[in-house]
Amino acid sequence: MSVCVRRVYEAPEPGDGLRVLVDRLWPRGLRKEAASVDEWPKGLTPSAGLRRWYHAGEGSYEEFADRYEAELAAPEAAGLLDRVREWAARGDVTLLTASKTPERSHAAVLARLLRG
């Protein structure tokens, strides 16, 4: 099992395994066929308020990660996170995001949690 994070705009690769879009909105300018997304659990994304707070530069990435982890404890998000854990237990999973800096995004937080 491996969990990796990639930009959704990058071409799919053979080793991607299950491709999971972890953004709430569909990426701009990307056709669904080109993205090759297998799953899209929208309820796993940060709240709109948390996203706005982080993108406004009001806090550090570490604080964002802590707040996002707290949101993931809510029943719907926790259930979806468990589902992605099950997928990862069965094989490779690639978390896809439109973020320009995926290593400092919510997708990186998810990947860390999934890797345990």
Side-chain angles (χ1 to χ4, degrees):
M1 166 205 75
S2 76
V3 175
C4 67
V5 176
R6 297 186 56 215
R7 291 199 72 220
V8 69
Y9 297 106
E10 297 173 13
E13 293 186 4
D16 282 349
L18 188 72
R19 293 172 52 88
V20 181
L21 179 63
V22 293
D23 290 346
R24 186 168 304 272
L25 302 175
W26 188 260
R28 282 190 179 179
L30 185 64
R31 290 187 359 254
K32 291 189 179 187
E33 304 79 38
S36 297
V37 170
D38 298 310
E39 298 289 343
W40 188 14
K42 296 176 192 175
L44 198 56
T45 61
S47 66
L50 181 58
R51 279 194 325 272
R52 281 192 294 270
W53 173 85
Y54 181 53
H55 293 298
E58 296 178 21
S60 68
Y61 174 72
E62 291 73 21
E63 188 175 356
F64 165 76
D66 289 343
R67 289 182 180 195
Y68 180 43
E69 284 186 49
E71 288 186 356
L72 290 172
E76 178 188 3
L80 290 170
L81 185 57
D82 286 343
R83 184 181 313 164
V84 178
R85 272 193 188 102
E86 290 171 10
W87 296 335
R90 286 186 250 145
D92 297 335
V93 171
T94 298
L95 303 178
L96 302 169
T97 182
S99 173
K100 291 180 182 175
T101 55
E103 66 281 354
R104 296 190 59 78
S105 72
H106 66 289
V109 175
L110 287 171
R112 181 174 45 80
L113 293 174
L114 291 168
R115 290 178 190 132

